[in-house]
PDB file of all heavy atoms in Angstrom:
ATOM      1  N   VAL A   1       0.848  -1.198   0.000  1.00 97.00           N
ATOM      2  CA  VAL A   1       0.000   0.000   0.000  1.00 97.00           C
ATOM      3  C   VAL A   1       0.876   1.238   0.000  1.00 97.00           C
ATOM      4  O   VAL A   1       1.854   1.329   0.755  1.00 97.00           O
ATOM      5  CB  VAL A   1      -0.931   0.012   1.235  1.00 97.00           C
ATOM      6  CG1 VAL A   1      -1.441   1.420   1.524  1.00 97.00           C
ATOM      7  CG2 VAL A   1      -2.109  -0.925   1.026  1.00 97.00           C
ATOM      8  N   THR A   2       0.533   2.206  -0.849  1.00 95.00           N
ATOM      9  CA  THR A   2       1.262   3.473  -0.879  1.00 95.00           C
ATOM     10  C   THR A   2       0.370   4.571  -1.446  1.00 95.00           C
ATOM     11  O   THR A   2      -0.595   4.293  -2.156  1.00 95.00           O
ATOM     12  CB  THR A   2       2.541   3.362  -1.730  1.00 95.00           C
ATOM     13  OG1 THR A   2       3.244   4.607  -1.701  1.00 95.00           O
ATOM     14  CG2 THR A   2       2.225   3.012  -3.175  1.00 95.00           C
ATOM     15  N   HIS A   3       0.697   5.822  -1.108  1.00 92.00           N
ATOM     16  CA  HIS A   3       0.041   6.957  -1.758  1.00 92.00           C
ATOM     17  C   HIS A   3       0.952   7.556  -2.824  1.00 92.00           C
ATOM     18  O   HIS A   3       0.570   8.465  -3.545  1.00 92.00           O
ATOM     19  CB  HIS A   3      -0.316   8.043  -0.725  1.00 92.00           C
ATOM     20  CG  HIS A   3       0.898   8.665  -0.087  1.00 92.00           C
ATOM     21  ND1 HIS A   3       1.522   8.117   1.014  1.00 92.00           N
ATOM     22  CD2 HIS A   3       1.624   9.757  -0.417  1.00 92.00           C
ATOM     23  CE1 HIS A   3       2.571   8.861   1.338  1.00 92.00           C
ATOM     24  NE2 HIS A   3       2.663   9.854   0.485  1.00 92.00           N
ATOM     25  N   ASP A   4       2.170   7.004  -2.927  1.00 91.00           N
ATOM     26  CA  ASP A   4       3.185   7.515  -3.849  1.00 91.00           C
ATOM     27  C   ASP A   4       3.106   6.744  -5.167  1.00 91.00           C
ATOM     28  O   ASP A   4       3.466   5.564  -5.225  1.00 91.00           O
ATOM     29  CB  ASP A   4       4.558   7.340  -3.199  1.00 91.00           C
ATOM     30  CG  ASP A   4       5.692   7.946  -4.030  1.00 91.00           C
ATOM     31  OD1 ASP A   4       5.517   8.080  -5.259  1.00 91.00           O
ATOM     32  OD2 ASP A   4       6.744   8.262  -3.454  1.00 91.00           O
ATOM     33  N   GLN A   5       2.676   7.417  -6.222  1.00 90.00           N
ATOM     34  CA  GLN A   5       2.505   6.715  -7.496  1.00 90.00           C
ATOM     35  C   GLN A   5       3.836   6.291  -8.104  1.00 90.00           C
ATOM     36  O   GLN A   5       3.888   5.339  -8.876  1.00 90.00           O
ATOM     37  CB  GLN A   5       1.687   7.566  -8.478  1.00 90.00           C
ATOM     38  CG  GLN A   5       2.208   8.958  -8.737  1.00 90.00           C
ATOM     39  CD  GLN A   5       2.984   9.062 -10.021  1.00 90.00           C
ATOM     40  OE1 GLN A   5       3.034   8.134 -10.805  1.00 90.00           O
ATOM     41  NE2 GLN A   5       3.604  10.205 -10.247  1.00 90.00           N
ATOM     42  N   THR A   6       4.944   6.929  -7.725  1.00 90.00           N
ATOM     43  CA  THR A   6       6.255   6.483  -8.214  1.00 90.00           C
ATOM     44  C   THR A   6       6.583   5.105  -7.657  1.00 90.00           C
ATOM     45  O   THR A   6       7.076   4.224  -8.380  1.00 90.00           O
ATOM     46  CB  THR A   6       7.363   7.490  -7.821  1.00 90.00           C
ATOM     47  OG1 THR A   6       7.029   8.771  -8.354  1.00 90.00           O
ATOM     48  CG2 THR A   6       8.711   7.043  -8.350  1.00 90.00           C
ATOM     49  N   GLU A   7       6.297   4.895  -6.363  1.00 93.00           N
ATOM     50  CA  GLU A   7       6.488   3.567  -5.770  1.00 93.00           C
ATOM     51  C   GLU A   7       5.610   2.541  -6.477  1.00 93.00           C
ATOM     52  O   GLU A   7       6.043   1.430  -6.781  1.00 93.00           O
ATOM     53  CB  GLU A   7       6.127   3.594  -4.276  1.00 93.00           C
ATOM     54  CG  GLU A   7       7.191   4.185  -3.392  1.00 93.00           C
ATOM     55  CD  GLU A   7       6.788   4.169  -1.922  1.00 93.00           C
ATOM     56  OE1 GLU A   7       6.058   3.252  -1.509  1.00 93.00           O
ATOM     57  OE2 GLU A   7       7.181   5.091  -1.206  1.00 93.00           O
ATOM     58  N   ALA A   8       4.366   2.920  -6.729  1.00 95.00           N
ATOM     59  CA  ALA A   8       3.435   1.986  -7.375  1.00 95.00           C
ATOM     60  C   ALA A   8       3.940   1.589  -8.754  1.00 95.00           C
ATOM     61  O   ALA A   8       3.933   0.408  -9.124  1.00 95.00           O
ATOM     62  CB  ALA A   8       2.049   2.627  -7.481  1.00 95.00           C
ATOM     63  N   MET A   9       4.403   2.563  -9.525  1.00 94.00           N
ATOM     64  CA  MET A   9       4.834   2.298 -10.899  1.00 94.00           C
ATOM     65  C   MET A   9       6.104   1.454 -10.949  1.00 94.00           C
ATOM     66  O   MET A   9       6.285   0.645 -11.858  1.00 94.00           O
ATOM     67  CB  MET A   9       5.061   3.621 -11.633  1.00 94.00           C
ATOM     68  CG  MET A   9       3.807   4.469 -11.815  1.00 94.00           C
ATOM     69  SD  MET A   9       2.661   3.800 -13.015  1.00 94.00           S
ATOM     70  CE  MET A   9       3.447   4.262 -14.550  1.00 94.00           C
ATOM     71  N   THR A  10       6.997   1.645  -9.986  1.00 94.00           N
ATOM     72  CA  THR A  10       8.282   0.936 -10.036  1.00 94.00           C
ATOM     73  C   THR A  10       8.229  -0.443  -9.400  1.00 94.00           C
ATOM     74  O   THR A  10       9.020  -1.317  -9.752  1.00 94.00           O
ATOM     75  CB  THR A  10       9.389   1.761  -9.345  1.00 94.00           C
ATOM     76  OG1 THR A  10       8.962   2.103  -8.019  1.00 94.00           O
ATOM     77  CG2 THR A  10       9.685   3.029 -10.116  1.00 94.00           C
ATOM     78  N   LEU A  11       7.300  -0.668  -8.448  1.00 95.00           N
ATOM     79  CA  LEU A  11       7.288  -1.920  -7.701  1.00 95.00           C
ATOM     80  C   LEU A  11       6.290  -2.947  -8.218  1.00 95.00           C
ATOM     81  O   LEU A  11       6.557  -4.142  -8.202  1.00 95.00           O
ATOM     82  CB  LEU A  11       6.982  -1.643  -6.219  1.00 95.00           C
ATOM     83  CG  LEU A  11       8.048  -0.899  -5.419  1.00 95.00           C
ATOM     84  CD1 LEU A  11       7.518  -0.583  -4.020  1.00 95.00           C
ATOM     85  CD2 LEU A  11       9.319  -1.723  -5.312  1.00 95.00           C
ATOM     86  N   GLY A  12       5.123  -2.504  -8.648  1.00 95.00           N
ATOM     87  CA  GLY A  12       4.024  -3.431  -8.870  1.00 95.00           C
ATOM     88  C   GLY A  12       4.041  -4.173 -10.195  1.00 95.00           C
ATOM     89  O   GLY A  12       4.378  -3.603 -11.233  1.00 95.00           O
ATOM     90  N   ASP A  13       3.672  -5.475 -10.143  1.00 97.00           N
ATOM     91  CA  ASP A  13       3.335  -6.194 -11.377  1.00 97.00           C
ATOM     92  C   ASP A  13       2.041  -5.611 -11.935  1.00 97.00           C
ATOM     93  O   ASP A  13       1.899  -5.395 -13.132  1.00 97.00           O
ATOM     94  CB  ASP A  13       3.133  -7.684 -11.096  1.00 97.00           C
ATOM     95  CG  ASP A  13       4.409  -8.361 -10.629  1.00 97.00           C
ATOM     96  OD1 ASP A  13       5.485  -7.943 -11.075  1.00 97.00           O
ATOM     97  OD2 ASP A  13       4.318  -9.297  -9.827  1.00 97.00           O
ATOM     98  N   ARG A  14       1.097  -5.399 -11.015  1.00 98.00           N
ATOM     99  CA  ARG A  14      -0.139  -4.685 -11.342  1.00 98.00           C
ATOM    100  C   ARG A  14      -0.392  -3.667 -10.237  1.00 98.00           C
ATOM    101  O   ARG A  14       0.001  -3.874  -9.087  1.00 98.00           O
ATOM    102  CB  ARG A  14      -1.334  -5.644 -11.426  1.00 98.00           C
ATOM    103  CG  ARG A  14      -1.368  -6.511 -12.671  1.00 98.00           C
ATOM    104  CD  ARG A  14      -2.688  -7.269 -12.750  1.00 98.00           C
ATOM    105  NE  ARG A  14      -2.885  -8.165 -11.617  1.00 98.00           N
ATOM    106  CZ  ARG A  14      -4.072  -8.594 -11.212  1.00 98.00           C
ATOM    107  NH1 ARG A  14      -5.183  -8.181 -11.806  1.00 98.00           N
ATOM    108  NH2 ARG A  14      -4.166  -9.429 -10.178  1.00 98.00           N
ATOM    109  N   ILE A  15      -1.054  -2.587 -10.580  1.00 97.00           N
ATOM    110  CA  ILE A  15      -1.418  -1.605  -9.571  1.00 97.00           C
ATOM    111  C   ILE A  15      -2.932  -1.432  -9.552  1.00 97.00           C
ATOM    112  O   ILE A  15      -3.601  -1.537 -10.592  1.00 97.00           O
ATOM    113  CB  ILE A  15      -0.692  -0.258  -9.764  1.00 97.00           C
ATOM    114  CG1 ILE A  15      -1.019   0.370 -11.118  1.00 97.00           C
ATOM    115  CG2 ILE A  15       0.790  -0.417  -9.633  1.00 97.00           C
ATOM    116  CD1 ILE A  15      -0.323   1.714 -11.323  1.00 97.00           C
ATOM    117  N   VAL A  16      -3.454  -1.220  -8.356  1.00 98.00           N
ATOM    118  CA  VAL A  16      -4.889  -1.015  -8.140  1.00 98.00           C
ATOM    119  C   VAL A  16      -5.057   0.422  -7.674  1.00 98.00           C
ATOM    120  O   VAL A  16      -4.624   0.774  -6.572  1.00 98.00           O
ATOM    121  CB  VAL A  16      -5.435  -1.985  -7.082  1.00 98.00           C
ATOM    122  CG1 VAL A  16      -6.932  -1.767  -6.873  1.00 98.00           C
ATOM    123  CG2 VAL A  16      -5.152  -3.431  -7.478  1.00 98.00           C
ATOM    124  N   ILE A  17      -5.672   1.252  -8.507  1.00 97.00           N
ATOM    125  CA  ILE A  17      -5.838   2.664  -8.171  1.00 97.00           C
ATOM    126  C   ILE A  17      -7.203   2.848  -7.521  1.00 97.00           C
ATOM    127  O   ILE A  17      -8.228   2.449  -8.089  1.00 97.00           O
ATOM    128  CB  ILE A  17      -5.715   3.542  -9.429  1.00 97.00           C
ATOM    129  CG1 ILE A  17      -4.361   3.313 -10.086  1.00 97.00           C
ATOM    130  CG2 ILE A  17      -5.876   5.016  -9.075  1.00 97.00           C
ATOM    131  CD1 ILE A  17      -4.258   3.803 -11.488  1.00 97.00           C
ATOM    132  N   MET A  18      -7.206   3.435  -6.310  1.00 97.00           N
ATOM    133  CA  MET A  18      -8.431   3.580  -5.536  1.00 97.00           C
ATOM    134  C   MET A  18      -8.780   5.046  -5.314  1.00 97.00           C
ATOM    135  O   MET A  18      -7.899   5.909  -5.266  1.00 97.00           O
ATOM    136  CB  MET A  18      -8.295   2.873  -4.184  1.00 97.00           C
ATOM    137  CG  MET A  18      -8.111   1.373  -4.270  1.00 97.00           C
ATOM    138  SD  MET A  18      -8.051   0.599  -2.639  1.00 97.00           S
ATOM    139  CE  MET A  18      -9.727   0.887  -2.047  1.00 97.00           C
ATOM    140  N   ARG A  19     -10.080   5.280  -5.168  1.00 95.00           N
ATOM    141  CA  ARG A  19     -10.574   6.618  -4.840  1.00 95.00           C
ATOM    142  C   ARG A  19     -11.921   6.477  -4.134  1.00 95.00           C
ATOM    143  O   ARG A  19     -12.804   5.778  -4.636  1.00 95.00           O
ATOM    144  CB  ARG A  19     -10.733   7.453  -6.104  1.00 95.00           C
ATOM    145  CG  ARG A  19     -11.231   8.878  -5.856  1.00 95.00           C
ATOM    146  CD  ARG A  19     -11.610   9.528  -7.169  1.00 95.00           C
ATOM    147  NE  ARG A  19     -11.876  10.938  -7.038  1.00 95.00           N
ATOM    148  CZ  ARG A  19     -12.426  11.691  -7.991  1.00 95.00           C
ATOM    149  NH1 ARG A  19     -12.771  11.137  -9.155  1.00 95.00           N
ATOM    150  NH2 ARG A  19     -12.636  12.972  -7.801  1.00 95.00           N
ATOM    151  N   ASP A  20     -12.047   7.098  -2.977  1.00 93.00           N
ATOM    152  CA  ASP A  20     -13.312   7.111  -2.230  1.00 93.00           C
ATOM    153  C   ASP A  20     -13.866   5.714  -1.992  1.00 93.00           C
ATOM    154  O   ASP A  20     -15.078   5.492  -2.048  1.00 93.00           O
ATOM    155  CB  ASP A  20     -14.362   7.955  -2.968  1.00 93.00           C
ATOM    156  CG  ASP A  20     -13.907   9.387  -3.183  1.00 93.00           C
ATOM    157  OD1 ASP A  20     -12.970   9.818  -2.493  1.00 93.00           O
ATOM    158  OD2 ASP A  20     -14.482  10.065  -4.046  1.00 93.00           O
ATOM    159  N   GLY A  21     -12.988   4.749  -1.743  1.00 94.00           N
ATOM    160  CA  GLY A  21     -13.425   3.395  -1.436  1.00 94.00           C
ATOM    161  C   GLY A  21     -13.681   2.511  -2.632  1.00 94.00           C
ATOM    162  O   GLY A  21     -13.941   1.316  -2.478  1.00 94.00           O
ATOM    163  N   TYR A  22     -13.601   3.058  -3.841  1.00 96.00           N
ATOM    164  CA  TYR A  22     -13.848   2.295  -5.066  1.00 96.00           C
ATOM    165  C   TYR A  22     -12.557   2.067  -5.832  1.00 96.00           C
ATOM    166  O   TYR A  22     -11.668   2.919  -5.845  1.00 96.00           O
ATOM    167  CB  TYR A  22     -14.816   3.042  -5.993  1.00 96.00           C
ATOM    168  CG  TYR A  22     -16.258   3.025  -5.575  1.00 96.00           C
ATOM    169  CD1 TYR A  22     -16.823   4.114  -4.905  1.00 96.00           C
ATOM    170  CD2 TYR A  22     -17.074   1.936  -5.863  1.00 96.00           C
ATOM    171  CE1 TYR A  22     -18.149   4.119  -4.529  1.00 96.00           C
ATOM    172  CE2 TYR A  22     -18.415   1.931  -5.495  1.00 96.00           C
ATOM    173  CZ  TYR A  22     -18.943   3.019  -4.827  1.00 96.00           C
ATOM    174  OH  TYR A  22     -20.268   3.009  -4.461  1.00 96.00           O
ATOM    175  N   ILE A  23     -12.471   0.933  -6.512  1.00 97.00           N
ATOM    176  CA  ILE A  23     -11.387   0.693  -7.459  1.00 97.00           C
ATOM    177  C   ILE A  23     -11.673   1.498  -8.725  1.00 97.00           C
ATOM    178  O   ILE A  23     -12.753   1.405  -9.307  1.00 97.00           O
ATOM    179  CB  ILE A  23     -11.272  -0.806  -7.802  1.00 97.00           C
ATOM    180  CG1 ILE A  23     -10.814  -1.607  -6.585  1.00 97.00           C
ATOM    181  CG2 ILE A  23     -10.286  -1.010  -8.953  1.00 97.00           C
ATOM    182  CD1 ILE A  23     -10.776  -3.103  -6.822  1.00 97.00           C
ATOM    183  N   GLN A  24     -10.692   2.286  -9.159  1.00 97.00           N
ATOM    184  CA  GLN A  24     -10.824   3.071 -10.384  1.00 97.00           C
ATOM    185  C   GLN A  24     -10.275   2.337 -11.597  1.00 97.00           C
ATOM    186  O   GLN A  24     -10.840   2.408 -12.689  1.00 97.00           O
ATOM    187  CB  GLN A  24     -10.098   4.411 -10.230  1.00 97.00           C
ATOM    188  CG  GLN A  24     -10.595   5.265  -9.095  1.00 97.00           C
ATOM    189  CD  GLN A  24     -12.018   5.751  -9.317  1.00 97.00           C
ATOM    190  OE1 GLN A  24     -12.332   6.357 -10.338  1.00 97.00           O
ATOM    191  NE2 GLN A  24     -12.892   5.471  -8.365  1.00 97.00           N
ATOM    192  N   GLN A  25      -9.170   1.620 -11.409  1.00 98.00           N
ATOM    193  CA  GLN A  25      -8.568   0.872 -12.515  1.00 98.00           C
ATOM    194  C   GLN A  25      -7.554  -0.119 -11.959  1.00 98.00           C
ATOM    195  O   GLN A  25      -6.890   0.146 -10.961  1.00 98.00           O
ATOM    196  CB  GLN A  25      -7.878   1.817 -13.506  1.00 98.00           C
ATOM    197  CG  GLN A  25      -7.362   1.128 -14.772  1.00 98.00           C
ATOM    198  CD  GLN A  25      -6.882   2.120 -15.832  1.00 98.00           C
ATOM    199  OE1 GLN A  25      -7.119   3.320 -15.724  1.00 98.00           O
ATOM    200  NE2 GLN A  25      -6.218   1.622 -16.849  1.00 98.00           N
ATOM    201  N   ILE A  26      -7.473  -1.263 -12.613  1.00 98.00           N
ATOM    202  CA  ILE A  26      -6.464  -2.279 -12.287  1.00 98.00           C
ATOM    203  C   ILE A  26      -5.688  -2.586 -13.561  1.00 98.00           C
ATOM    204  O   ILE A  26      -6.280  -2.797 -14.623  1.00 98.00           O
ATOM    205  CB  ILE A  26      -7.111  -3.578 -11.770  1.00 98.00           C
ATOM    206  CG1 ILE A  26      -7.969  -3.311 -10.536  1.00 98.00           C
ATOM    207  CG2 ILE A  26      -6.041  -4.625 -11.449  1.00 98.00           C
ATOM    208  CD1 ILE A  26      -8.784  -4.516 -10.087  1.00 98.00           C
ATOM    209  N   GLY A  27      -4.382  -2.601 -13.486  1.00 97.00           N
ATOM    210  CA  GLY A  27      -3.590  -2.936 -14.667  1.00 97.00           C
ATOM    211  C   GLY A  27      -2.113  -2.857 -14.372  1.00 97.00           C
ATOM    212  O   GLY A  27      -1.689  -2.498 -13.269  1.00 97.00           O
ATOM    213  N   THR A  28      -1.298  -3.205 -15.359  1.00 97.00           N
ATOM    214  CA  THR A  28       0.147  -3.053 -15.211  1.00 97.00           C
ATOM    215  C   THR A  28       0.465  -1.560 -15.188  1.00 97.00           C
ATOM    216  O   THR A  28      -0.337  -0.728 -15.648  1.00 97.00           O
ATOM    217  CB  THR A  28       0.894  -3.703 -16.380  1.00 97.00           C
ATOM    218  OG1 THR A  28       0.579  -2.982 -17.591  1.00 97.00           O
ATOM    219  CG2 THR A  28       0.505  -5.163 -16.543  1.00 97.00           C
ATOM    220  N   PRO A  29       1.618  -1.175 -14.643  1.00 96.00           N
ATOM    221  CA  PRO A  29       1.987   0.242 -14.641  1.00 96.00           C
ATOM    222  C   PRO A  29       1.904   0.873 -16.036  1.00 96.00           C
ATOM    223  O   PRO A  29       1.422   1.996 -16.191  1.00 96.00           O
ATOM    224  CB  PRO A  29       3.420   0.236 -14.111  1.00 96.00           C
ATOM    225  CG  PRO A  29       3.467  -0.962 -13.218  1.00 96.00           C
ATOM    226  CD  PRO A  29       2.605  -1.993 -13.894  1.00 96.00           C
ATOM    227  N   GLN A  30       2.361   0.143 -17.051  1.00 96.00           N
ATOM    228  CA  GLN A  30       2.335   0.697 -18.402  1.00 96.00           C
ATOM    229  C   GLN A  30       0.917   0.854 -18.918  1.00 96.00           C
ATOM    230  O   GLN A  30       0.591   1.840 -19.599  1.00 96.00           O
ATOM    231  CB  GLN A  30       3.135  -0.205 -19.348  1.00 96.00           C
ATOM    232  CG  GLN A  30       3.673   0.514 -20.580  1.00 96.00           C
ATOM    233  CD  GLN A  30       4.644   1.632 -20.251  1.00 96.00           C
ATOM    234  OE1 GLN A  30       5.581   1.442 -19.492  1.00 96.00           O
ATOM    235  NE2 GLN A  30       4.400   2.813 -20.796  1.00 96.00           N
ATOM    236  N   GLU A  31       0.039  -0.092 -18.582  1.00 96.00           N
ATOM    237  CA  GLU A  31      -1.361  -0.013 -19.024  1.00 96.00           C
ATOM    238  C   GLU A  31      -2.066   1.209 -18.460  1.00 96.00           C
ATOM    239  O   GLU A  31      -2.747   1.931 -19.188  1.00 96.00           O
ATOM    240  CB  GLU A  31      -2.117  -1.284 -18.614  1.00 96.00           C
ATOM    241  CG  GLU A  31      -1.801  -2.499 -19.469  1.00 96.00           C
ATOM    242  CD  GLU A  31      -2.393  -3.779 -18.905  1.00 96.00           C
ATOM    243  OE1 GLU A  31      -2.928  -3.756 -17.773  1.00 96.00           O
ATOM    244  OE2 GLU A  31      -2.308  -4.806 -19.603  1.00 96.00           O
ATOM    245  N   VAL A  32      -1.907   1.443 -17.166  1.00 96.00           N
ATOM    246  CA  VAL A  32      -2.625   2.576 -16.572  1.00 96.00           C
ATOM    247  C   VAL A  32      -2.000   3.908 -16.989  1.00 96.00           C
ATOM    248  O   VAL A  32      -2.682   4.933 -17.035  1.00 96.00           O
ATOM    249  CB  VAL A  32      -2.699   2.466 -15.038  1.00 96.00           C
ATOM    250  CG1 VAL A  32      -3.490   1.244 -14.626  1.00 96.00           C
ATOM    251  CG2 VAL A  32      -1.322   2.448 -14.406  1.00 96.00           C
ATOM    252  N   PHE A  33      -0.707   3.890 -17.306  1.00 96.00           N
ATOM    253  CA  PHE A  33      -0.062   5.117 -17.783  1.00 96.00           C
ATOM    254  C   PHE A  33      -0.506   5.443 -19.204  1.00 96.00           C
ATOM    255  O   PHE A  33      -0.834   6.584 -19.517  1.00 96.00           O
ATOM    256  CB  PHE A  33       1.459   4.960 -17.728  1.00 96.00           C
ATOM    257  CG  PHE A  33       2.221   6.197 -18.133  1.00 96.00           C
ATOM    258  CD1 PHE A  33       2.459   7.200 -17.215  1.00 96.00           C
ATOM    259  CD2 PHE A  33       2.699   6.362 -19.429  1.00 96.00           C
ATOM    260  CE1 PHE A  33       3.157   8.353 -17.572  1.00 96.00           C
ATOM    261  CE2 PHE A  33       3.390   7.496 -19.801  1.00 96.00           C
ATOM    262  CZ  PHE A  33       3.629   8.498 -18.868  1.00 96.00           C
ATOM    263  N   ASN A  34      -0.531   4.422 -20.063  1.00 95.00           N
ATOM    264  CA  ASN A  34      -0.870   4.646 -21.472  1.00 95.00           C
ATOM    265  C   ASN A  34      -2.366   4.752 -21.721  1.00 95.00           C
ATOM    266  O   ASN A  34      -2.796   5.465 -22.635  1.00 95.00           O
ATOM    267  CB  ASN A  34      -0.317   3.512 -22.334  1.00 95.00           C
ATOM    268  CG  ASN A  34       1.192   3.526 -22.423  1.00 95.00           C
ATOM    269  OD1 ASN A  34       1.826   4.565 -22.218  1.00 95.00           O
ATOM    270  ND2 ASN A  34       1.794   2.386 -22.712  1.00 95.00           N
ATOM    271  N   ASN A  35      -3.168   4.028 -20.931  1.00 95.00           N
ATOM    272  CA  ASN A  35      -4.611   3.979 -21.181  1.00 95.00           C
ATOM    273  C   ASN A  35      -5.410   4.208 -19.901  1.00 95.00           C
ATOM    274  O   ASN A  35      -6.107   3.317 -19.415  1.00 95.00           O
ATOM    275  CB  ASN A  35      -4.992   2.610 -21.779  1.00 95.00           C
ATOM    276  CG  ASN A  35      -4.257   2.326 -23.078  1.00 95.00           C
ATOM    277  OD1 ASN A  35      -4.302   3.112 -24.015  1.00 95.00           O
ATOM    278  ND2 ASN A  35      -3.565   1.194 -23.129  1.00 95.00           N
ATOM    279  N   PRO A  36      -5.334   5.417 -19.314  1.00 97.00           N
ATOM    280  CA  PRO A  36      -6.125   5.703 -18.107  1.00 97.00           C
ATOM    281  C   PRO A  36      -7.612   5.630 -18.421  1.00 97.00           C
ATOM    282  O   PRO A  36      -8.066   6.175 -19.418  1.00 97.00           O
ATOM    283  CB  PRO A  36      -5.697   7.122 -17.736  1.00 97.00           C
ATOM    284  CG  PRO A  36      -5.215   7.727 -19.018  1.00 97.00           C
ATOM    285  CD  PRO A  36      -4.602   6.602 -19.793  1.00 97.00           C
ATOM    286  N   ARG A  37      -8.374   4.945 -17.548  1.00 97.00           N
ATOM    287  CA  ARG A  37      -9.795   4.733 -17.821  1.00 97.00           C
ATOM    288  C   ARG A  37     -10.662   5.940 -17.485  1.00 97.00           C
ATOM    289  O   ARG A  37     -11.806   6.014 -17.931  1.00 97.00           O
ATOM    290  CB  ARG A  37     -10.300   3.499 -17.054  1.00 97.00           C
ATOM    291  CG  ARG A  37      -9.642   2.198 -17.521  1.00 97.00           C
ATOM    292  CD  ARG A  37      -9.852   1.984 -19.004  1.00 97.00           C
ATOM    293  NE  ARG A  37      -9.081   0.867 -19.527  1.00 97.00           N
ATOM    294  CZ  ARG A  37      -9.570  -0.347 -19.705  1.00 97.00           C
ATOM    295  NH1 ARG A  37     -10.815  -0.614 -19.377  1.00 97.00           N
ATOM    296  NH2 ARG A  37      -8.823  -1.304 -20.212  1.00 97.00           N
TER     297      ARG A  37
END
């Protein structure tokens, strides 16, 4: 768990982006960077 997106991008096989208790997007760092939902 982190609030630092640099940590998320460098460490995760996949990252789960959350907001207000909901999942916003799940994907590899490259997927969420290139194709934000």
Side-chain angles (χ1 to χ4, degrees):
V1 160
T2 182
H3 65 274
D4 185 336
Q5 55 100 8
T6 302
E7 281 181 32
M9 296 288 283
T10 54
L11 292 174
D13 295 327
R14 286 188 299 157
I15 60 179
V16 180
I17 302 164
M18 296 183 66
R19 181 191 190 191
D20 302 342
Y22 285 99
I23 293 176
Q24 301 294 305
Q25 187 171 349
I26 302 172
T28 66
Q30 204 62 50
E31 284 171 352
V32 297
F33 183 84
N34 291 337
N35 301 305
R37 295 303 172 97

